[in-house]
Every structure is written in structure tokens, then in C-alpha cells.
């Protein structure tokens, strides 16, 4: 049996057979309960809240307009990730359009870290800046806020990260989550808040900037419902005709043909993130704001080089992190905290995402510095990061972030206690549930259905791509693919229906899945284009097999290390073939684990006893043998008749008569065959054995050879050997299953 990686939470219990029922289930699972909510969800209309619903928006606009009128210097202080750089670009372009005396600054991840930095603020003050606007940060800058207040520089905070009980002293705060905030939508990203400010400054929706807000919103993993859904949906459309020179050239460099949420997350996002992770986020802001084609081309080239460097480091560090987790058995903890020196801190968040996909547990990846550990965290939906890091704040020097992602620093001596604390916190809360929309009848599957599901796009946090369960579907083929065989490619069948499937990052399951296995798979549908041919494909997210499984290693090397983490019982019937851990089979043997069958069983009954045992779920078949045909195989009706003719000539003889034995051996019958034949004749009353004398019965009653128990056993053994050795893998498994 192959167990699933997640706990499965099937949101609708009945198997779905028609599209109307399916659509109703999908709406219900996304908490869209009435026609108005459904219509708005599917609508392509722009649906945005009035930016002046922010309680401080009026005074923010008044102060910025005043600064523009007086030609006061305005500094936009941003962040180095996609959300930060796109938010800075939105405000910079807006204020430039309004003829403001505006500049921007992206702190260096490695020298300054995340968030407000007093040294940088002091520099701004010394250069006579009168207004500082933070983007995607600032809500934890208590000391920095006090400093700017003391020097009479106005601080405007725009942020979306989790606020603490004490807020900074600021001229104004635009943050949807602070206590007393009247803005109706609480899940805006940093670039989303910047977009609302741009809207208010311009007095109209800045359609040409919504693609930047879309990139920041999607890549920051905020909830894709309500206003965020509108921003991303419209932003994707705007990206197709973007007015930003740098984005157009970036699209050409990456050869982007279709723009969807996957393009945001896997092409634009990593490239815009790369400068901040590997060097400085200023590079990305310059790309998003430049109007000079030569500069834009150089920046795109620089970003591509940084992105390639990033990918190399990610691959190396991911492998090292897995090695550390394995070596120190860290995967036993409910939250995995892995640390090592010399890991590039700029890519640790991405490493977290990679490890999260492998281990399905909250992940914290730390690099060792001279001051302690510094790193990133990513989590599952039922273990909110900021909330739980708050419960560890006595062990941390600094932390910040939101529900799904965070950054943190801590002293080396606190690492062990930090691991223990998180393990205990997660023990009560972490369920690792996979929410599945419904079980789907195979007759529903089609390319049309896959296209219809696109109505629910863009997919993301709180609007995951619909997940479906396909039950008892047969594996026709299964093979590892990709670099280092990381993925699995499968062909599935149910009744007369065939389906191609791909399972990313599940290459390790190749040894746990057999052709002809009946499995349950959970996944999503996608249209896969290859060689100008579009096919419907099932992307597997999780898989399990609830039936007994049989693994045929008759003509393959059985690598024991592959199954080293499993409790296996090695059984043999006559010979262990060098497996020192092997046990000789008997019906009295107490089987309490899966089994490896080393050699051939003596009977179907022995095989049936093992296969049907309630404690045996996986059977690994070696069926080693020395010769295909044993001496017993040579015993036939004709050969028995020839031996019997020799016996009748002697009429009576001793059991060890040398002359008789030699005569039969010259005819090709060795001593073993003679003894077996004699036993058959005795069972059929063709001979009588008395006082070590063999007496041939004259005129015996005619009997069928099959009436001899010994001869019947020989026939059964021949049949057993032929079936177990000569059958195809598929036929063998059918025999064992039946």
C-alpha cells in the first residue's frame, strides 16, 4: 500500500457526474453562495473600492500635493522583493507624472536588511527630504518613526505586513489591517496599497499601472479574492499590452507567448526578484521605470544573468538542505528548521518553497552569519507564521512578515530551543490537509471541461486550482522523467478511458508504484502543448494505493537501499540465496510486515497464505531459482511406463539393487527419479513394498496417474514454476491478485 503525503479533506462526498453539479460545488467550496457573488467572481468588469475609504487617505493626498506645490523632495522607501519594487515603481511613475521632486531607495538586503533603516533615513534628512513614503514596509519602524518626528520630516507608511500592538509615530498610515482602519478589504499587498494611493493621487484608476500591482499582488502570495482578484485579473490583461518598456523587453527575452498566473509566478516574478536577492533591488525598479531603450536592454541582460546565478545557487542549496534534513532527521519535527553556514541569504525564501513542496511541513531555512542565524520561512495554511513567530519572540532578535511568509534572525544558542518551541506549537495545529473539491467520474473528463475551469482563473491563495479525486484508476505505465528523474510520467486508465498524467517532484515514488496498480489520485487538469499538439493532462498533487501491491523483481536488481526505511520480512522456501536476514517460511510464522519472496514457493497454498495475510500489503517478488526445470519436471507418463517395464522384468528386487539402479541410469533415469517413480507406483498399487523388498503386482487394476498424490504434486509444481517464472509481469500480478 502506498500512503498519501497529505490528509485528504474531500469537500463534497458524492462523485460528480455532470457539469452543472460540478460548477455549483466549485462555487460553494469558494464560499460564493448567491448569484450576485458568483456573477461578480466570474465578471470581467473592473471592481475596485474607493481609495478614500482609507481613513488617512485625505491627509496623505493633501500632504503630497503640498510637497509637490512647494517642490519639496519626496523619498519613496521600498523593499527588495517583487511586491516592494512594483509598489515603488507605481508611486514613482505616478509622482513623476504629477511633476513631483521624487526619488526612490531600495535598501540592500545584505547590508541593511528588511524594513526601515535609521542610517538611511538620516542620510535622507541630511539631503533635505521633507516627506518619506514607505512601500511594502514601515509598520514595525517604531524607532525610525520617532527619529523622523524629532527632525520634523513627515513619514507616510504604506504597508500590509502584520502590525504589532504599537504603531510607529507617522504623519499618516495606509494599512488595511491596523486597528480602526475603515478600508473594507484587508488583504491588499504592498503594491496593492501603493496602487490605491496612485488612484487617489490621480483622481482616476491608473489602468497603465495595474499590471505592476498585479505582479506584486500575485508574487507576494496574498489572498486572491475580492479586490486582489480584480487587480490580478485586469493586470494580466494589461501585461499583454503593457506600456512599461522594461516589461516588454523582459517578455521578449523570456519568449513569453501566453500570460497567466503561471507566467507571473515562474517567469516575471523570479526575474524581478533576482536583483534584490543577488545584488540590489534598484535594478528592478530602474527596469520598471526607465524610458530609455538602451538602458532597458542592458538591465534585462543584467537581470537574466542574475536570475541564472540565482537558479544555480537554489539548486545547490536545495540539495544541501535535503542532505542536512536527512542527516539530522529534521523531517521528524512538525516544523522543519534547517541551517548551515555560507548559504546565500537572498535565495532562502525560494529554498523554503522547494522544501515545502517536498516535505509538506512549515519550513524555515537559515544561513549562519557572524551574529547568528538569518533566514526565511514559508508555511501551510493551518500554521500562520507571524502568529506563531510572535509566540517565539523571546528567542528571536527580529522577525516580520505575514501569515504565509516571514523573515527572521536569531542567536546561535537559541536554535535548538526555537526548533522545540515550533514543534510543540505545530503539534496541536498542523493538520496538513489537502482540500479536494470533489470526486470526479471519468466520463466527465475532457478538454472542454479543462477550458471551462479556466473561468475560475486567476488561481492562487484562497482560490486554488480545482482539485479532483479520481478513484481506483489503473496505472498502465509509470516512468521517471526530468533532471535527476525528479518527476513521474504516468498513463492511467479507468474502464475504456485513458488519461496522461504528470507528478512533479514525485520521482522517488517510482519504486512504490506498479503497472496495473489501482490507485487514487488527486490533481488538476491542464492542457499540455507539445509538438503543436494539445492534449488534456492530469497534474497529480497526491497519490495513494489502498490495495495490496506486488513488485516484480524477477529479472531486475532488487536494491535494498531503496526500501531501507521500510520494515520488510525476507522469506525463503528452500534456499536463501545469500540473504542472511532471510527466514524459512512456515504456516506458523507470524507475519507482521511486508515481505520479500526470495525463492519459489513449494505450492500455491503457501503463496496464498502469504498474499492473503492481513498484515502483508506489499509483496516484493524475487523468485530466484537455480534451474528452470528440476528433476521432477522430467517425470512424464511415457517415462514412468518405461521404468515400470524394467520393474516387471525383475518381478521382485531389493530397494537398493545395484544392478537395477545401474540399468535404469543407463536409460537416463537417475536415482532420484527412480525413487519418485517407485513412490508413484506404490501409491497406485502397482508395487508392494515388504521387508525392503519390492514386489511387482501382476495384472494390477488400471489406475490414472493423477490418482497418485506424488504425481499430482509433481504436476502442480511444474504448473507453479511455469506460472511464476515464465509469466509476464502483468500476468504474474493478475495471478497473485486473484
Amino acid at each position: 500500500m502506498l500512503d498519501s503525503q497529505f490528509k485528504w479533506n474531500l469537500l463534497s462526498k458524492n462523485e460528480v457526474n455532470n457539469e452543472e453539479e460540478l460548477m455549483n460545488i466549485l462555487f460553494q467550496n469558494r464560499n460564493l453562495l448567491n448569484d450576485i457573488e458568483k456573477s461578480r467572481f466570474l465578471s470581467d468588469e473592473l471592481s475596485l473600492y474607493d481609495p478614500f475609504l482609507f481613513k488617512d487617505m485625505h491627509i496623505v493626498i493633501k500632504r503630497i500635493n503640498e510637497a509637490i506645490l512647494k517642490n519639496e523632495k519626496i523619498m519613496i522607501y521600498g523593499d527588495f522583493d517583487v511586491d516592494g519594487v512594483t509598489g515603488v515603481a507605481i508611486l514613482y511613475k505616478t509622482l513623476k507624472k504629477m511633476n513631483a521632486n521624487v526619488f526612490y531607495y531600495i535598501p540592500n538586503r545584505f547590508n541593511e536588511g528588511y524594513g526601515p533603516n535609521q542610517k538611511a533615513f538620516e542620510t535622507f534628512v541630511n539631503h533635505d527630504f521633507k516627506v518619506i513614503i514607505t512601500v511594502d514596509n514601515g509598520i514595525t519602524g517604531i524607532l525610525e518613526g520617532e527619529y523622523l518626528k524629532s527632525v520634523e520630516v513627515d513619514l507616510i507608511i504604506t504597508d500590509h505586513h502584520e502590525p504589532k500592538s504599537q504603531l510607529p509615530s507617522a504623519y499618516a498610515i495606509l494599512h488595511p489591517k491596523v486597528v480602526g482602519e475603515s478600508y473594507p478589504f484587508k488583504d491588499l499587498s504592498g503594491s496593492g496599497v501603493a496602487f490605491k494611493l496612485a488612484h487617489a493621487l490621480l483622481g482616476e484608476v491608473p489602468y497603465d499601472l495595474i499590471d505592476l500591482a498585479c505582479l506584486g499582488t500575485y508574487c507576494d502570495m496574498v489572498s486572491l479574492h475580492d479586490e486582489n482578484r480584480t487587480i490580478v485579473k485586469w493586470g494580466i490583461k494589461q501585461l499583454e499590452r503593457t506600456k512599461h518598456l522594461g516589461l516588454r523587453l523582459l517578455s521578449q527575452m523570456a519568449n513569453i507567448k501566453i500570460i497567466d498566473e503561471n507566467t507571473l509566478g515562474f517567469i516575471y516574478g523570479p526575474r524581478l526578484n533576482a536583483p534584490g536577492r543577488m545584488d540590489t533591488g534598484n535594478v528592478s525598479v530602474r527596469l520598471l521605470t526607465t524610458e530609455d531603450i538602451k538602458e532597458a536592454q542592458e538591465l534585462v541582460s543584467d537581470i537574466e544573468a542574475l536570475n541564472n546565478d540565482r537558479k544555480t545557487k537554489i539548486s545547490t542549496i536545495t540539495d544541501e538542505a535535503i542532505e542536512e534534513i536527512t542527516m539530522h532527521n529534521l523531517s521528524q519535527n512538525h516544523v522543519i528548521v534547517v541551517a548551515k553556514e555560507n548559504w546565500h541569504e537572498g535565495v532562502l525564501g525560494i529554498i523554503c518553497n522547494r522544501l515545502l513542496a517536498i516535505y509538506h511541513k512549515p519550513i524555515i531555512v537559515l544561513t549562519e552569519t557572524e551574529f547568528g542565524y538569518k533566514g526565511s520561512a514559508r508555511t501551510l495554511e493551518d500554521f500562520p507564521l507571524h502568529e506563531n513567530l510572535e509566540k517565539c519572540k523571546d528567542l528571536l532578535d527580529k522577525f516580520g512578515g505575514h501569515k504565509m511568509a516571514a523573515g527572521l534572525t536569531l542567536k546561535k544558542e537559541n536554535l535548538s530551543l526555537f526548533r522545540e518551541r515550533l514543534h510543540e506549537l505545530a503539534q496541536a495545529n498542523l493538520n496538513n490537509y489537502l482540500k479536494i473539491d470533489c470526486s470526479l467520474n471519468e466520463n466527465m473528463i475532457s478538454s472542454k471541461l479543462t477550458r471551462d475551469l479556466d473561468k475560475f482563473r486567476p488561481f492562487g491563495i484562497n482560490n486554488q486550482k480545482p482539485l479532483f479525486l479520481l478513484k481506483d484508476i489503473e496505472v498502465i505505465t509509470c516512468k521517471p522523467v526530468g533532471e535527476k528523474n525528479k518527476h513521474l510520467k504516468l498513463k492511467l486508465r479507468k474502464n475504456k478511458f485513458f488519461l496522461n498524467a504528470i507528478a512533479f517532484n514525485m520521482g522517488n515514488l517510482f519504486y512504490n508504484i506498479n503497472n496495473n496498480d489501482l490507485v487514487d489520485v488527486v490533481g488538476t487538469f491542464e492542457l499540455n502543448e507539445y509538438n503543436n499538439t494539445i492534449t488534456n493532462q492530469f497534474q497529480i498533487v497526491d497519490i495513494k494505493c489502498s490495495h495490496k501491491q506486488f513488485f516484480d523483481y524477477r529479472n531486475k536488481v532488487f536494491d535494498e537501499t531503496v526500501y531501507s526505511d521500510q520494515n520488510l520480512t525476507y522469506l525463503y522456501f528452500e534456499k536463501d540465496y545469500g540473504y542472511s536476514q532471510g527466514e524459512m517460511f512456515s504456516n506458523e510464522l507470524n507475519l507482521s510486515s511486508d515481505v520479500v519472496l526470495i525463492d519459489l514457493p513449494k505450492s500455491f497454498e503457501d503463496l496464498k497464505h502469504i498474499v492473503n495475510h492481513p498484515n502483508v500489503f506489499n509483496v516484493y517478488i524475487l523468485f530466484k531459482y537455480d534451474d528452470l526445470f528440476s528433476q521432477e519436471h522430467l517425470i512424464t507418463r511415457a517415462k514412468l511406463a518405461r521404468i515400470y517395464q524394467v520393474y516387471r522384468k525383475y518381478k521382485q528386487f531389493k530397494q537398493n539393487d545395484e544392478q537395477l539402479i545401474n540399468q535404469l541410469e543407463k536409460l537416463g533415469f537417475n536415482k532420484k527419479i527412480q525413487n519418485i517413480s517407485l513412490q508413484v507406483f506404490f501409491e497406485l498399487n502397482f508395487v508392494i513394498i515388504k521387508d525392503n523388498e519390492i514386489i511387482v503386482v501382476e495384472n494390477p487394476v488400471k489406475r490414472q496417474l493423477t490418482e497418485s498424490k506424488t504425481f499430482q504434486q509433481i504436476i502442480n509444481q511444474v504448473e507453479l514454476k511455469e506460472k511464476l517464472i515464465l509469466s509476464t509481469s502483468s500476468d504474474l500480478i493478475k495471478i497473485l491478485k486473484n
Side-chain angles (χ1 to χ4, degrees):
M1 291 176 69
L2 172 64
D3 202 5
S4 59
Q5 299 175 73
F6 296 94
K7 298 174 186 175
W8 291 2
N9 180 14
L10 193 59
L11 300 178
S12 179
K13 305 306 178 187
N14 298 325
E15 184 179 77
V16 176
N17 294 290
N18 65 77
E19 191 162 337
E20 182 181 356
E21 181 185 3
L22 174 61
M23 291 302 163
N24 287 332
I25 287 172
L26 295 180
F27 283 129
Q28 183 177 327
N29 292 346
R30 282 148 187 78
N31 204 32
L32 303 167
L33 305 179
N34 58 57
D35 290 341
I36 295 174
E37 290 174 338
K38 294 175 187 177
S39 176
R40 185 181 177 193
F41 183 85
L42 297 178
S43 173
D44 286 332
E45 291 182 13
L46 186 68
S47 179
L48 297 172
Y49 295 107
D50 183 345
F52 286 97
L53 291 174
F54 275 103
K55 63 182 180 63
D56 281 358
M57 187 63 82
H58 285 283
I59 62 172
V60 169
I61 301 304
K62 181 180 178 182
R63 180 66 186 92
I64 292 175
N65 282 329
E66 179 185 316
I68 294 171
L69 187 65
K70 294 180 178 180
N71 199 35
E72 291 177 328
K73 291 169 75 175
I74 301 172
M75 175 60 73
I76 303 171
Y77 184 89
D79 186 28
F80 34 71
D81 67 2
V82 179
D83 196 24
V85 299
T86 53
V88 168
I90 287 168
L91 280 190
Y92 182 77
K93 286 197 162 193
T94 299
L95 291 172
K96 273 292 184 184
K97 186 183 291 187
M98 298 174 69
N99 297 315
N101 189 8
V102 63
F103 302 81
Y104 62 82
Y105 184 88
I106 305 294
N108 186 289
R109 175 192 291 269
F110 311 104
N111 301 330
E112 299 171 279
Y114 166 80
N117 181 294
Q118 186 159 327
K119 285 186 179 180
F121 284 4
E122 288 171 358
T123 302
F124 304 155
V125 171
N126 291 336
H127 284 79
D128 203 29
F129 281 88
K130 296 301 181 184
V131 178
I132 296 175
I133 306 172
T134 68
V135 173
D136 195 34
N137 74 92
I139 201 62
T140 59
I142 306 297
L143 296 177
E144 293 81 3
E146 290 293 338
Y147 164 71
L148 291 180
K149 185 177 181 180
S150 70
V151 295
E152 297 182 343
V153 172
D154 290 328
L155 173 64
I156 297 171
I157 294 173
T158 75
D159 198 359
H160 75 120
H161 292 92
E162 294 297 327
K164 296 185 178 180
S165 55
Q166 182 184 357
L167 298 178
S169 294
Y171 180 86
I173 296 176
L174 300 180
H175 191 306
K177 292 181 181 177
V178 296
V179 175
E181 177 54 66
S182 55
Y183 195 75
F185 183 60
K186 304 301 180 184
D187 290 321
L188 284 170
S189 65
S191 59
V193 178
F195 182 74
K196 303 305 297 186
L197 176 52
H199 183 177
L201 284 166
L202 296 169
E204 60 183 6
V205 177
Y207 295 104
D208 59 327
L209 299 174
I210 199 167
D211 49 1
L212 296 178
C214 156
L215 281 164
T217 297
Y218 187 83
C219 293
D220 213 53
M221 298 175 65
V222 292
S223 177
L224 280 196
H225 74 287
D226 204 312
E227 193 167 31
N228 283 344
R229 177 172 171 82
T230 295
I231 289 171
V232 174
K233 201 169 185 179
W234 272 70
I236 287 173
K237 293 178 182 179
Q238 181 62 27
L239 267 172
E240 294 172 354
R241 55 181 182 273
T242 184
K243 294 183 178 180
H244 310 295
L245 175 63
L247 281 182
R248 290 204 304 272
L249 294 181
L250 193 64
S251 298
Q252 292 171 18
M253 170 70 81
N255 195 27
I256 294 173
K257 296 177 181 176
I258 297 175
I259 297 177
D260 57 20
E261 65 271 41
N262 294 319
T263 320
L264 305 181
F266 295 107
I267 299 180
Y268 286 115
R271 285 165 172 80
L272 292 175
N273 247 331
R277 293 185 180 280
M278 310 304 295
D279 187 16
T280 169
N282 279 317
V283 175
S284 291
V285 181
R286 285 170 59 201
L287 178 74
L288 296 175
T289 56
T290 185
E291 299 297 331
D292 184 288
I293 189 163
K294 186 175 181 181
E295 181 188 25
Q297 288 170 337
E298 290 174 354
L299 289 169
V300 166
S301 181
D302 290 345
I303 283 175
E304 197 66 21
L306 288 168
N307 189 49
N308 289 332
D309 185 26
R310 176 193 67 86
K311 287 193 286 188
T312 300
K313 285 184 168 58
I314 287 170
S315 179
T316 301
I317 296 172
T318 301
D319 290 343
E320 290 179 2
I322 292 170
E323 187 177 327
E324 285 288 311
I325 291 168
T326 303
M327 186 187 306
H328 300 292
N329 208 25
L330 299 178
S331 61
Q332 297 302 308
N333 296 332
H334 295 299
V335 178
I336 297 175
V337 182
V338 58
K340 194 176 181 182
E341 61 184 3
N342 298 324
W343 281 349
H344 194 293
E345 66 179 81
V347 299
L348 298 186
I350 301 172
I351 307 297
C352 287
N353 288 331
R354 295 280 178 94
L355 297 177
L356 189 69
I358 294 170
Y359 295 102
H360 310 291
K361 293 181 177 183
I363 299 284
I364 297 176
V365 182
L366 304 168
T367 185
E368 189 175 340
T369 70
E370 57 180 314
F371 306 108
Y373 289 111
K374 184 178 184 181
S376 296
R378 298 293 185 270
T379 190
L380 301 170
E381 193 174 331
D382 50 6
F383 189 74
L385 271 177
H386 193 276
E387 176 185 321
N388 283 286
L389 289 177
E390 183 74 32
K391 296 173 184 176
C392 303
K393 63 183 178 181
D394 57 310
L395 302 174
L396 300 173
D397 293 339
K398 192 176 181 181
F399 71 95
H402 49 80
K403 180 179 178 180
M404 302 303 292
L408 65 153
T409 60
L410 72 156
K411 292 181 175 63
K412 293 179 183 179
E413 58 266 27
N414 288 342
L415 179 61
S416 181
L417 286 172
F418 183 52
R419 275 197 182 111
E420 291 176 15
R421 180 86 57 84
L422 287 173
H423 176 72
E424 291 168 4
L425 288 170
Q427 196 162 10
N429 302 314
L430 194 63
N431 293 309
N432 201 16
Y433 278 123
L434 186 65
K435 292 180 180 178
I436 306 165
D437 284 285
C438 62
S439 174
L440 203 62
N441 186 282
E442 70 274 11
N443 294 321
M444 285 282 296
I445 301 170
S446 68
S447 296
K448 178 185 178 300
L449 173 66
T450 304
R451 290 189 180 94
D452 287 345
L453 293 173
D454 281 350
K455 296 173 186 175
F456 286 79
R457 299 185 100 141
F459 301 120
I461 302 298
N462 288 334
N463 182 36
Q464 298 291 347
K465 199 167 187 181
L467 280 181
F468 302 111
L469 168 63
L470 306 178
K471 298 185 72 174
D472 279 341
I473 193 162
E474 184 182 3
V475 177
I476 303 302
T477 59
C478 173
K479 63 179 180 180
V481 295
E483 183 184 359
K484 297 180 182 178
N485 289 331
K486 288 198 317 188
H487 316 303
L488 281 183
K489 191 172 184 179
L490 304 96
K491 189 167 187 177
L492 307 172
R493 175 178 66 194
K494 188 162 187 183
N495 299 322
K496 294 180 180 180
F497 178 81
F498 289 86
L499 181 64
N500 293 321
I502 186 77
F504 292 115
N505 297 309
M506 296 188 198
N508 60 305
L509 297 182
F510 173 66
Y511 295 100
N512 299 98
I513 299 173
N514 249 320
N515 293 348
N516 305 116
D517 278 344
L518 290 179
V519 296
D520 297 340
V521 290
V522 174
T524 66
F525 293 102
E526 59 184 18
L527 295 177
N528 183 45
E529 185 173 352
Y530 183 73
N531 284 342
N532 296 319
T533 301
I534 297 176
T535 56
N536 203 26
Q537 181 174 259
F538 193 67
Q539 184 178 323
I540 295 174
V541 175
D542 204 0
I543 184 170
K544 71 178 179 181
C545 180
S546 303
H547 307 281
K548 287 184 187 289
Q549 289 180 275
F550 302 93
F551 298 89
D552 183 7
Y553 280 95
R554 291 174 303 172
N555 299 307
K556 295 185 288 186
V557 175
F558 181 70
D559 185 354
E560 296 175 65
T561 61
V562 171
Y563 304 103
S564 59
D565 60 339
Q566 294 177 223
N567 182 25
L568 298 177
T569 298
Y570 289 73
L571 294 179
Y572 68 92
F573 301 88
E574 288 188 356
K575 186 176 176 181
D576 65 15
Y577 285 90
Y579 287 89
S580 58
Q581 70 272 50
E583 299 180 60
M584 179 172 272
F585 170 78
S586 74
N587 285 327
E588 287 72 40
L589 194 64
N590 182 26
L591 294 176
S592 58
S593 67
D594 297 336
V595 298
V596 178
L597 301 183
I598 298 172
D599 64 345
L600 288 163
K602 293 181 178 179
S603 68
F604 278 112
E605 284 68 29
D606 289 348
L607 195 56
K608 189 182 294 185
H609 177 85
I610 296 166
V611 168
N612 292 336
H613 198 284
N615 293 336
V616 175
F617 296 104
N618 294 334
V619 179
Y620 302 90
I621 302 155
L622 277 55
F623 284 169
K624 294 182 176 294
Y625 58 90
D626 293 322
D627 297 303
L628 177 57
F629 295 107
S630 64
Q631 295 294 329
E632 291 91 332
H633 281 75
L634 301 176
I635 296 177
T636 64
R637 181 184 299 275
K639 290 176 180 177
L640 283 171
R642 288 187 66 189
I643 294 172
Y644 188 63
Q645 286 174 0
V646 174
Y647 284 172
R648 289 190 66 178
K649 289 179 181 178
Y650 277 77
K651 294 186 180 180
Q652 186 169 338
F653 50 88
K654 291 190 178 297
Q655 193 162 355
N656 295 320
D657 189 309
E658 289 293 334
Q659 184 179 349
L660 176 59
I661 291 171
N662 290 335
Q663 183 178 346
L664 287 173
E665 284 184 341
K666 287 178 182 179
L667 294 174
F669 305 117
N670 64 25
K671 198 168 182 179
K672 185 175 182 180
I673 293 177
Q674 293 178 43
N675 289 336
I676 293 172
S677 302
L678 196 58
Q679 181 64 27
V680 172
F681 297 148
F682 175 74
E683 291 172 3
L684 295 175
N685 294 322
F686 290 177
V687 300
I688 298 168
I689 301 175
K690 187 176 181 182
D691 299 329
N692 203 31
E693 288 278 332
I694 311 297
I695 303 168
V696 179
V697 176
E698 291 187 24
N699 302 318
V701 177
K702 287 186 177 181
R703 305 279 295 276
Q704 296 293 325
L705 283 175
T706 51
E707 294 180 53
S708 162
K709 181 181 177 182
T710 298
F711 187 77
Q712 188 62 54
Q713 285 177 341
I714 290 170
I715 292 174
N716 290 341
Q717 285 175 351
V718 170
E719 181 186 358
L720 179 66
K721 267 195 173 181
E722 288 179 350
K723 282 190 173 182
L724 299 186
I725 295 174
L726 300 179
S727 59
T728 65
S729 185
S730 176
D731 287 342
L732 174 66
I733 290 172
K734 286 177 183 176
I735 291 168
L736 297 175
K737 284 183 176 179
N738 293 330

